[in-house]
Every structure is written in C-alpha cells, then in structure tokens.
Amino acid sequence: MKKLLILDRDGTLILEPEGYQIDSLEKLDFYPGVFQHLSRIVKELDFEFVMITNQDGLGTEVFPEETFWPAHHKMMSAFEAEGIPFIDVLIDRSFPEDNAPTRKPRTGLMAPYMNGDYDLANSFVVGDRLTDMELAKNLGAKGIWLNNQPDLGADEVEGDNRAVHEAIALTTTDWGDIYRFLRLSERTAKVQRTTKETDILIQLDLDGTGKSEMDTGLGFFDHMLDQLARHGGLDLSIKVRGDLEVDEHHTIEDTALALGEAFAKALGDKLGLERYGYALPMDDCLAQVAIDFGGRPWIVWEAEFKREKIGDMPTEMFFHFFKSFSDAAKANLNIKVEGTNEHHKIEAIFKAWARAIRMAKRRDTEHLQLPSTKGVL
C-alpha cells in the first residue's frame, strides 16, 4: 500500500510570521532546508505528499481570499520547480470555535485517504503544532514534530495529552533530521523468550539515548547491563523472571541469548552499517573488546577471575554470557583484559563492549551500502 507524508503548511514548509497569517508575498519565507531534504525524500523514498492546513477564517473579512492566494500560489510554484509534487492540498477555513469536523486535529479533510488504500500506520504527519501530532494519532499514523514552540497548539488538543506524545516518532527543529529519520528505518526489536526456566522480555532501540530499565533479579548483572545502554548509546529494557532458587545460570544464559537475538533483529539489513567496533578502556585494567556484526558467531576470550562471585554474579558465567550473545547476535567477539581488581576488570569489559557496539552500529546515511565484499551478511 502507498504511504503518505502529510505536511502541515505554516511553520513546517514555510515560516510563520508574527500574527500567524501569511497574507502577503512579503511574509513568504521557506523553512530552512525544506527544499533540499524534501527533494531527497521524493527521489529516494516512496511517500506521496499531501499538504493540510488550517487557515482560520479564510474567505471572511478577517482573512480575504485575495490576500491568501498570491503567496500560496508562489509557494506551490517553488515546490513544483524543485520537483516536489503534492497529490492534494487540503485547506480548512473554519475558526476553532466552529468545531468543524474538517479542522485539525479532526480527520474530516483526510477522509479520502482513510478507506484502506493507504498504509496510514507507516505514514507520517509533519507539523509544528501539537494539534498536528494529535492528527497523526487520530489517523493511526506517526508524528514528526518541528518543535520550535513547545506549547503551540496545546490549547486545541482535544484528547489525552499523553497519547498525543506517544504518537510522536521524532522531535526536532531540523529538516535534515527528518530526512535522515525517514531514510533510515527504525532499528528496534522486541524479544520475548519463555522457557520452563526463564521468562524474558527485551526491548531495544539501537538509536536511543542511553535509557535503561533492568530487572534480572541479579543486582550486579543489572549494573553491567546498564553499562551497555549508557555507553552503547542505545535504549534497553530487560525484564527477567528466572529460576534463581536453582542458581544464576539460566537467567544469565537466556538473557544473553535473547539480547543477541534482539541485536540481530534490530540491525536489520545492515545497509550502511559500520559493522566493526573496538574499545580499549578502567583504572588498573586494560580491557580490549572488538566486535564484528558480520553474521558469523565466534568468540576469543582471554580473561581470568580469581573470585568465585562479583556481587551476586558467578565469574564463571562471564564467558558464558558473551559466548551466548555472540551466538545469537551472529557476531565475532574478541575480549581480553588484564588488571588486579576483579570488579574493575569485568566492568571494564562491559564498558568496552558497549563502546565497541556504539561504534559498530553506526550508519552512513549518505552511502547505504552493505559493508561486505561478499554482497551478503
């Protein structure tokens, strides 16, 4: 099915002047970067463009038609000259107090696109007002918020504010960010692994900001996994219910397998992937970790621990954790550490592993090629 990029006009394609009415050619200014990046979206992606705009009182004494159309036609001619087509331009002329079904965030104007011919779940509404984001929610689409004024449109939001924010897939002020976001598919994964020994739920966003929520039942294990999220630059939630009354083995092993599976899913087709990463950090320790998301599992492990446990985590399980991750993620891992403090040694390994992943997961948005001479990973 076809996908839509539903574009607000004022504040998104063109800049909004003081007073919010573009009623003369002198007030027509384009949003920075809009031509460059919309042109790339046209050439490289498969969206159809629809413009939708509220123009309060258009055609009345407060906003005569003859003051609106010259600037609007000038704008449309500029987009056409740049090879940016719109399949439809939808204009609502009502005032907020009219409660018209066609006024954003209501969906009346979008009715022709809601009959099942369009993939609204994978379409986007781009706008500068919270009402644009509520329109996205009401359509079952996703929102891209050009958030130059956080409260703009807040007084016209009709539903639950939290639900509106949940519909927002990207918040930015830069059209370059919008292009990159649309060009690069989301790298997220959700993995549920349930056995007689463990019940595990992992949610991963490779392009997150370091947010983590860990609950494995093992405090030190949670602490180590926090390092992965924070230093790996990804969002990670891990919830585990394991048979800790037996011992820690199944919880640690199955978490590693589920985590590796999540990475394999989130990496997707690997186009533009850096693929390789390495890091060498802690105090008395030198931890060397290198990773290759090349599609083949392998591990080299040169690390010895003199204590039976660190916190509540058996040191014999460190190798087993990374081996299981390597197997499920289909990644090479080469891990070496030296030092005197056992806590520092394993924490340095986890931090170095996270930094190596941070490097390897990067993508080149300008050259989306497969990083392999074989043509397959």
Side-chain angles (χ1 to χ4, degrees):
M1 288 194 293
K2 294 172 285 188
K3 297 184 296 183
L4 293 174
L5 203 59
I6 304 159
L7 298 154
D8 173 50
R9 195 189 83 141
D10 303 353
T12 301
L13 300 173
I14 55 180
L15 297 175
E16 266 187 322
E18 186 177 351
Y20 301 111
Q21 266 191 11
I22 300 172
D23 50 13
S24 69
L25 288 172
E26 290 74 21
K27 292 183 179 181
L28 179 62
D29 285 307
F30 291 91
Y31 199 105
V34 68
F35 289 118
Q36 174 190 354
H37 294 105
L38 270 182
S39 294
R40 297 190 71 174
I41 293 170
V42 169
K43 293 172 184 176
E44 299 173 21
L45 303 177
D46 59 350
F47 290 98
E48 292 185 353
F49 292 179
V50 170
M51 188 187 304
I52 186 167
T53 179
N54 291 343
Q55 296 295 328
D56 296 10
L58 178 60
T60 67
E61 290 183 1
V62 298
F63 196 1
E65 298 256 1
E66 59 268 22
T67 66
F68 171 79
W69 292 111
H72 181 79
H73 289 321
K74 180 76 172 178
M75 177 197 69
M76 296 302 297
S77 296
F79 281 115
E80 184 178 355
E82 294 295 326
I84 301 169
F86 290 86
I87 64 169
D88 209 348
V89 177
L90 306 171
I91 300 174
D92 178 72
R93 300 162 175 254
S94 68
F95 291 103
E97 58 269 22
D98 295 334
N99 293 317
T102 52
R103 184 179 178 84
K104 292 183 294 179
R106 302 183 189 100
T107 61
L109 284 178
M110 290 296 302
Y113 302 96
M114 300 173 67
N115 59 9
D117 292 337
Y118 286 87
D119 181 6
L120 292 179
N122 289 301
S123 297
F124 293 87
V125 177
V126 186
D128 66 321
R129 294 171 178 260
L130 282 170
T131 43
D132 298 315
M133 301 301 97
E134 188 170 25
L135 174 64
K137 179 190 76 70
N138 292 342
L139 289 170
K142 303 168 189 173
I144 296 176
W145 189 18
L146 281 168
N147 181 19
N148 289 293
Q149 298 182 56
D151 295 328
L152 197 60
D155 57 341
E156 286 194 66
V157 171
E158 298 177 336
D160 179 54
N161 193 61
R162 182 173 57 183
V164 172
H165 281 272
E166 287 175 353
I168 300 172
L170 175 68
T171 300
T172 183
T173 59
D174 187 345
W175 261 101
D177 290 340
I178 296 174
Y179 162 74
R180 286 183 287 273
F181 174 79
L182 295 175
R183 185 67 179 86
L184 300 173
S185 58
E186 292 184 25
R187 297 192 297 174
T188 61
K190 180 178 180 180
V191 172
Q192 179 89 52
R193 178 186 173 90
T194 303
T195 70
K196 293 181 178 179
E197 298 161 339
T198 58
D199 185 12
I200 298 172
L201 176 63
I202 292 183
Q203 297 183 81
L204 169 67
D205 182 352
L206 287 180
D207 302 304
T209 58
K211 293 184 292 186
S212 66
E213 185 179 359
M214 306 300 170
D215 182 13
T216 66
L218 298 168
F220 186 76
F221 194 26
D222 290 347
H223 179 47
M224 292 299 98
L225 292 169
D226 278 332
Q227 308 301 322
L228 172 59
R230 178 64 59 86
H231 297 286
L234 47 91
D235 292 345
L236 182 61
S237 171
I238 300 179
K239 301 183 186 300
V240 184
R241 294 294 173 264
D243 56 354
L244 293 177
E245 70 280 1
V246 176
D247 70 4
E248 307 85 354
H249 186 106
H250 299 139
T251 291
I252 296 169
E253 177 185 33
D254 288 4
T255 298
L257 290 170
L259 183 61
E261 182 183 347
F263 267 85
K265 285 184 175 181
L267 286 168
D269 59 18
K270 301 181 182 177
L271 290 176
L273 187 69
E274 186 69 25
R275 177 178 167 178
Y276 303 100
Y278 55 88
L280 315 170
M282 179 175 165
D283 299 340
D284 56 302
C285 303
L286 174 63
Q288 305 177 57
V289 178
I291 194 167
D292 171 18
F293 285 114
R296 296 187 303 274
W298 192 268
I299 188 166
V300 173
W301 176 263
E302 296 183 19
E304 294 183 359
F305 295 90
K306 298 175 182 178
R307 288 166 56 181
E308 179 183 355
K309 283 190 173 185
I310 299 178
D312 49 8
M313 190 170 177
T315 55
E316 68 177 9
M317 290 303 298
F318 294 152
F319 167 78
H320 203 58
F321 171 84
F322 287 105
K323 172 65 166 59
S324 298
F325 174 85
S326 169
D327 288 345
K330 297 180 181 178
N332 283 191
L333 269 177
N334 191 304
I335 299 174
K336 301 177 183 180
V337 70
E338 57 187 52
T340 57
N341 185 293
E342 303 294 274
H343 182 123
H344 287 173
K345 283 161 64 177
I346 191 56
E347 186 165 349
I349 286 175
F350 269 86
K351 286 180 176 177
W353 175 52
R355 297 301 297 189
I357 286 175
R358 189 187 193 108
M359 186 184 301
K361 72 184 177 73
R362 290 178 187 152
R363 287 183 295 184
D364 184 346
T365 62
E366 303 299 325
H367 303 93
L368 291 177
Q369 301 172 344
L370 197 67
S372 171
T373 56
K374 293 180 173 62
V376 64
L377 284 179

